[in-house]
Amino acid sequence: MSMNERYEPQAIEPKWQKLWEDEGVFRADRGPGAPKKYVLEMLPYPSGKMHMGHVRNYLIGDVYARYYAMRGFDVMHPMGWDAFGLPAENAAIKDGVHPAKRTAENVASFKEEMRSLGYSYDWTREVNTSEPEYYRWNQWFFLKLLEKDIVYRRFSKVNWCTGCHTVIANEQVKEGQCERCESKVVDKEMPEWAFRITRYSQKLLDGMAELGAWPERITSMQRNWIGRSDGVEADFGVKGSTEKIRVFTTRIDTVFGCTYVVLAPDHPLVAKLATPDRKAEVSAFVARMAAKSKTERTEEGAEKEGVFTGAFALNPFSGREVPIWIANFVLADYGTGAVMSVPAHDDRDFAFARKYSLPVEVVIQPPAGERLPSGAGLPAAFTEDGTLDGSGAFTGLTSAEARRRMGAELARENRGRVTVTYRQKDWGFSRQRYWGTPIPVVYCTRCDPESKGIPLPESALPVRLPDIDVQAVLTGKGEPPLAKVPSFVQTTCPRCGGPARREVETMDTFVDSCWYFARYLSPKCDTAPFEVAAAKRWLPVDVYVGGPEHAVMHLLYFRFWCRLMRELGLTSVDEPVTRLVTQGIVNGPDGRKMSKRWGNVVAPASIVKKYGADTARLYVLFAGPPERDFDWSDDQVEGAFRFAKRVWAIAAQHHAAARGATFTGSFEGKALDVRRAAHKCLKRVGEAIERLSFNTAIAGVMEFVNALYAAEKLETPAEKAAMAEAIRILSLVLTPFAPHLADELAHQYGHGGPTVREAWPAFDPALVVEDVLPYAVQVNGKLKAEVRVPAAAGEAEVRAAAEADEKVKAALAGKSLRKVVFVPRHLVNYVVG
């Protein structure tokens, strides 16, 4: 049967999608004896329609999944839904649609679009975090971690979003605003549940040694967020009092230059230390700071403000009296909430001292060069290490040696200690919202008079979200939504059987996404979060694809949770992911990031309908390296479609002559050229995929197709057989990128089922050796020409070809040749004077 001359993706693609699903082509565990590859993209939040930014994320993983399957791996490539969260609840408040209904509709829409794009997902492993079968295990983890004292109840100052009416994490506050709704974030004191992630700060830092295949910018962001500081805690006495102020500093070597001490406005000693004549001004400043959030007080560019308490501290080394101030830039929950200020050697302290006319005293001199002037003449703080000056018995020591000796002296005399602090804080995860995992705790006045919370037994799980009257409960005002549902709140105490009330807060949705990668391994398991044997087989994830914006939220919590699961005996790995791939942004036609907010979203359905899924895939993958941003271009989509049509046309052109053609003799001339083009393409595409250069891989396929067009009419049996092999190789190298087109080409040329089940072919080394090589010709390092010479040519032949070039001749004319730099297979450079 002849091959249709027209490329009709709308007819081809649904056919192959149905076959893949009917035959379970992408199911994992098909080859339990084969080596495994677990390929995963961050699961989407189904808040609306997909756009091409989503498409790119999932395509990167899909290329790897298909490629590894062809390389003989048993591939796990699942998909699910991060379905709880604020967007669905906020939408419900706005339009009265129950979050469950809206979420189900969005999931159906997302899934339909994913299917239309031909992603190779094992849908038998689909999970939905808003289903009780899933969030039951969030509750199970809560109970286990409560037993281990990793979950605890605390009363603390939290970030309160005035728009979402809930607590949000530190990581979700951007320039004083909620990153989701952009409403103002204020500090609010209230009880909350938290994870002791700070117990794992050092382990999370140490674990980065295993993350060699993670982007450096991600690991740097995590290091900075955890923020380890090595230093000492030192006790400053208070003049006329038995109180002591403990400060933390990384620069104890500068202590003799301390000219004032600063406390956080809400430090517990402020009220005690303020002298009667200063109390009114201090109280007014404290009240004003209490009305501001931490972000407002400490953001870059914020004015440094403070007031004098009237009290004086005593330097633990010199005994010198220094004034005690309070200032906006010191936070009670960072370090000890107290700072020794050394303006000569700290930029912030210097600015504050100049503003309030406080002394500046130099105690560190540069290790070489001119000495610093006295403090009064110092133009800016000197913040580097150096040699101590004016520092008593420590004068003349290097900063490093002084820090060691001073720390030891403080510890020996019980005036302080060498210690480490971390910027990272414990993770407060309770939220005042409905659409999340209920926390499995009750409060009983008889058994729990202090309201610490009584955990429910595992047999009571899952604690299900109650059905609600959306308009009555989701008002966005007042108490947490679940508190408005008496049938949920009123329960019995598991200890005494008397009346009790349920916890009405729900879990942060980052809990859902901390461990979902493991639930995919056995999503129907009802005796544990997942099967330990499956975790042993599949973890860690080999390739994980997602956005860099998750560096210090999801990806850090993700790593934390993996350690918890190991401690619970569920896994044997500390790190969840071997290789992390972060994709760039797809900007809309207007150059801004695709977003419903900007109205610049390009829906994949519109591209699939007009051009087919393979065109959408080819365009997105060819637009640039995965980690780079790119702007949407309708013209380039057209270009991708034209390429797909060229592929189809060349296969149709030679279908009658080449289909089934074989040849056992030697290949020469045109036949050899076709085979060489095919095997060079095969080599180039495989290498490009391995190094995450999909655009280069597709460029290689395009060059290959051009070479096939250059073959023109097939005349000999060798040429026909060479073309048959070439089309076969073409179908296989296209499989990761344009799988529907690939499968249809293979089918038209008489091959069996889906190409993803075929082995990735090995290229013939003899056919990829270059006959001719390009050499760059430089004169004094500047490119003047490019010459092409036989690959076996030596230096003399390359120089002869170069010196015959007119541009090179002109550049060398009248010059004296000093030397020639010859780099085999690459360049020749003439150094002239």
Side-chain angles (χ1 to χ4, degrees):
M1 186 175 74
S2 63
M3 185 173 170
N4 186 350
E5 293 184 0
R6 290 187 60 196
Y7 172 51
E8 297 177 339
Q10 289 76 12
I12 293 169
E13 292 174 355
K15 175 184 75 173
W16 286 104
Q17 290 163 11
K18 184 176 185 304
L19 183 144
W20 297 336
E21 186 155 345
D22 289 348
E23 295 190 5
V25 171
F26 306 123
R27 290 184 186 173
D29 282 325
R30 291 176 61 89
K36 68 91 180 179
K37 282 289 182 183
Y38 188 174
V39 179
L40 185 64
E41 301 93 61
M42 292 183 185
L43 81 174
Y45 185 83
S47 59
K49 301 288 185 181
M50 273 182 72
H51 58 65
M52 297 308 294
H54 298 118
V55 171
R56 187 186 202 191
N57 181 51
Y58 311 133
L59 270 181
I60 294 168
D62 196 58
V63 169
Y64 271 122
R66 290 176 177 276
Y67 174 71
Y68 285 134
M70 297 176 77
R71 294 301 300 261
F73 290 93
D74 187 8
V75 174
M76 171 81 72
H77 189 213
M79 180 48 67
W81 316 102
D82 192 10
F84 270 146
L86 286 173
E89 186 163 339
N90 287 345
I93 293 169
K94 181 180 177 182
D95 57 28
V97 176
H98 196 289
K101 183 176 186 296
R102 174 66 56 82
T103 300
E105 292 170 350
N106 291 342
V107 164
S109 172
F110 253 73
K111 191 170 181 179
E112 182 180 352
E113 297 221 51
M114 285 180 163
R115 290 180 186 276
S116 75
L117 285 156
Y119 293 120
S120 57
Y121 293 130
D122 180 354
W123 286 109
T124 65
R125 297 177 181 273
E126 180 181 6
V127 301
N128 184 316
T129 63
S130 66
E131 294 177 349
E133 293 77 13
Y134 185 91
Y135 68 70
R136 162 192 181 184
W137 299 107
N138 288 347
Q139 296 167 346
W140 182 88
F141 277 119
F142 175 97
L143 297 176
K144 294 296 182 184
L145 299 179
L146 188 64
E147 290 174 7
K148 294 170 67 68
D149 192 38
I150 292 170
V151 166
Y152 69 104
R153 186 75 164 159
R154 68 183 181 185
F155 194 83
S156 64
K157 189 174 288 188
V158 298
N159 302 307
W160 181 263
C161 172
T162 56
C164 296
H165 299 283
T166 189
V167 173
I168 61 175
N170 291 334
E171 299 89 332
Q172 294 168 293
V173 182
K174 308 297 181 186
E175 298 180 353
Q177 296 180 322
C178 172
E179 69 167 2
R180 285 179 172 141
C181 72
E182 299 184 345
S183 296
K184 184 178 180 179
V185 175
V186 298
D187 291 342
K188 186 175 182 179
E189 287 199 356
M190 60 189 300
E192 68 169 351
W193 291 96
F195 292 118
R196 298 189 194 275
I197 192 173
T198 52
R199 282 188 182 174
Y200 295 78
S201 293
Q202 191 57 49
K203 293 178 181 178
L204 291 168
L205 284 173
D206 294 341
M208 288 179 186
E210 298 180 39
L211 306 183
W214 282 45
E216 173 60 29
R217 63 173 172 163
I218 300 298
T219 53
S220 288
M221 289 170 73
Q222 291 202 3
R223 283 191 188 94
N224 292 338
W225 186 262
I226 294 169
R228 175 183 168 123
S229 295
D230 293 86
V232 301
E233 290 180 354
D235 290 334
F236 279 66
V238 177
K239 182 181 178 182
S241 171
T242 59
E243 298 286 356
K244 292 188 181 299
I245 299 172
R246 174 153 285 200
V247 305
F248 171 80
T249 179
T250 60
R251 293 297 306 272
I252 193 64
D253 55 311
T254 69
V255 67
F256 282 85
C258 172
T259 60
Y260 61 102
V261 168
V262 181
L263 304 181
D266 48 348
H267 191 287
L269 287 180
V270 169
K272 295 180 181 179
L273 297 181
T275 57
D277 61 317
R278 304 296 302 161
K279 193 170 288 291
E281 188 175 353
V282 168
S283 297
F285 185 82
V286 169
R288 189 157 61 86
M289 290 303 106
K292 292 187 175 185
S293 69
K294 289 185 294 186
T295 307
E296 287 179 292
R297 285 168 49 192
T298 60
E299 64 188 351
E300 189 174 348
E303 183 183 2
K304 306 297 184 286
E305 299 180 81
V307 296
F308 177 40
T309 65
F312 289 85
L314 305 174
N315 189 303
F317 284 91
S318 68
R320 175 184 177 182
E321 296 178 10
V322 294
I324 301 170
W325 285 64
I326 59 174
N328 60 344
F329 57 82
V330 181
L331 301 175
D333 62 352
Y334 184 71
T336 63
V339 172
M340 71 169 210
S341 294
V342 185
H345 304 294
D346 181 272
D347 291 328
R348 184 190 59 195
D349 295 347
F350 183 87
F352 192 86
R354 288 291 190 242
K355 178 175 180 178
Y356 291 102
S357 301
L358 294 164
V360 177
E361 297 186 7
V362 174
V363 294
I364 304 289
Q365 292 289 344
E370 293 185 11
R371 287 174 59 85
L372 297 174
S374 65
L378 193 68
F382 175 71
T383 59
E384 299 175 17
D385 277 6
T387 303
L388 270 67
D389 188 24
S391 298
F394 302 96
T395 298
L397 295 179
T398 64
S399 289
E401 178 63 12
R403 285 194 288 267
R404 187 185 69 78
R405 293 193 190 184
M406 288 176 169
E409 182 173 313
L410 286 169
R412 186 171 57 251
E413 298 182 3
N414 200 29
R415 291 184 285 117
R417 63 185 182 124
V418 177
T419 188
V420 175
T421 65
Y422 298 90
R423 176 178 178 268
Q424 182 181 38
K425 302 302 175 188
D426 279 345
W427 170 17
F429 66 90
S430 50
R431 300 291 181 261
Q432 296 68 39
R433 300 307 292 255
Y434 164 74
W435 194 234
T437 298
I439 294 173
V441 162
V442 300
Y443 300 95
C444 171
T445 55
R446 179 177 175 182
C447 301
D448 181 31
E450 296 180 357
S451 294
K452 293 182 178 180
I454 299 171
L456 292 173
E458 288 182 34
S459 59
L461 305 184
V463 177
R464 295 173 180 264
L465 274 180
D467 195 12
I468 58 170
D469 180 330
V470 172
Q471 293 183 336
V473 173
L474 299 184
T475 62
K477 299 177 182 178
E479 58 191 348
L482 287 175
K484 303 173 187 176
V485 187
S487 61
F488 176 81
V489 176
Q490 296 166 7
T491 186
T492 55
C493 175
R495 292 180 182 172
C496 70
R501 59 182 178 86
R502 290 191 189 278
E503 172 63 79
V504 294
E505 297 184 344
T506 55
M507 296 186 197
D508 182 358
T509 55
F510 280 117
V511 174
D512 304 334
S513 57
C514 275
W515 67 281
Y516 76 102
F517 67 101
R519 182 65 178 175
Y520 281 139
L521 308 181
S522 38
K524 304 297 189 246
C525 182
D526 61 1
T527 57
F530 50 89
E531 295 170 4
V532 173
K536 185 175 181 180
R537 157 101 167 120
W538 288 104
L539 296 182
V541 174
D542 294 283
V543 179
Y544 194 38
V545 185
E549 66 272 17
H550 298 293
V552 295
M553 291 187 283
H554 163 62
L555 289 171
L556 193 58
Y557 298 153
F558 191 54
R559 295 180 58 223
F560 164 59
W561 209 270
C562 193
R563 281 167 168 72
L564 299 180
M565 294 195 298
R566 179 166 187 163
E567 291 179 9
L568 292 171
L570 296 171
T571 71
S572 59
V573 298
D574 282 332
E575 294 293 339
V577 169
T578 300
R579 183 179 188 183
L580 175 68
V581 178
T582 54
Q583 90 282 2
I585 293 168
V586 179
N587 295 315
D590 59 357
R592 294 189 291 186
K593 180 180 178 179
M594 280 194 187
S595 170
K596 289 182 291 183
R597 181 191 312 170
W598 307 124
N600 63 353
V601 168
V602 178
S606 63
I607 305 301
V608 172
K609 182 177 180 180
K610 185 174 182 180
Y611 301 106
D614 284 338
T615 290
R617 293 171 64 107
L618 287 167
Y619 165 65
V620 170
L621 293 167
F622 185 60
E627 70 278 5
R628 292 187 189 168
D629 299 351
F630 74 86
D631 294 341
W632 182 266
S633 168
D634 291 334
D635 290 342
Q636 290 177 21
V637 176
E638 288 278 359
F641 185 54
R642 286 194 298 272
F643 170 64
K645 290 197 293 184
R646 276 174 58 80
V647 169
W648 182 268
I650 195 69
Q653 177 185 335
H654 298 301
H655 182 259
R659 187 182 190 277
T662 58
F663 183 71
T664 56
S666 61
F667 291 86
E668 299 175 350
K670 186 193 296 184
L672 183 57
D673 290 343
V674 168
R675 294 199 71 217
R676 279 182 171 166
H679 283 259
K680 286 178 182 177
C681 174
L682 187 57
K683 178 177 184 291
R684 181 176 177 182
V685 171
E687 292 173 348
I689 291 175
E690 292 284 358
R691 65 174 185 271
L692 195 67
S693 187
F694 302 151
N695 56 324
T696 301
I698 294 172
V701 180
M702 291 175 172
E703 289 182 17
F704 175 31
V705 171
N706 288 340
L708 297 186
Y709 270 93
E712 298 180 343
K713 187 177 180 181
L714 306 179
E715 296 174 334
T716 68
E719 291 170 2
K720 294 174 182 178
M723 184 59 70
E725 179 193 24
I727 298 297
R728 176 62 174 160
I729 288 174
L730 178 60
S731 70
L732 295 173
V733 296
L734 276 173
T735 296
F737 313 110
H740 313 85
L741 176 57
D743 280 8
E744 187 64 22
L745 290 183
H747 173 70
Q748 292 291 341
Y749 270 68
H751 298 282
T755 51
V756 74
R757 284 183 175 171
E758 302 294 325
W760 187 267
F763 61 83
D764 185 338
L767 294 176
V768 299
V769 175
E770 295 286 352
D771 293 328
V772 177
L773 290 175
Y775 271 81
V777 183
Q778 299 175 346
V779 176
N780 287 343
K782 294 183 179 180
L783 181 66
K784 296 297 180 182
E786 183 181 275
V787 296
R788 300 181 71 81
V789 298
E795 181 177 353
E797 293 170 276
V798 174
R799 287 186 58 181
E803 291 161 20
D805 184 272
E806 294 300 323
K807 291 181 181 178
V808 177
K809 281 183 182 178
L812 296 177
K815 305 287 193 328
S816 165
L817 183 63
R818 294 180 177 174
K819 69 175 180 178
V820 177
V821 178
F822 178 71
V823 181
R825 304 180 70 82
H826 291 289
L827 68 82
V828 58
N829 179 32
Y830 295 90
V831 181
V832 299

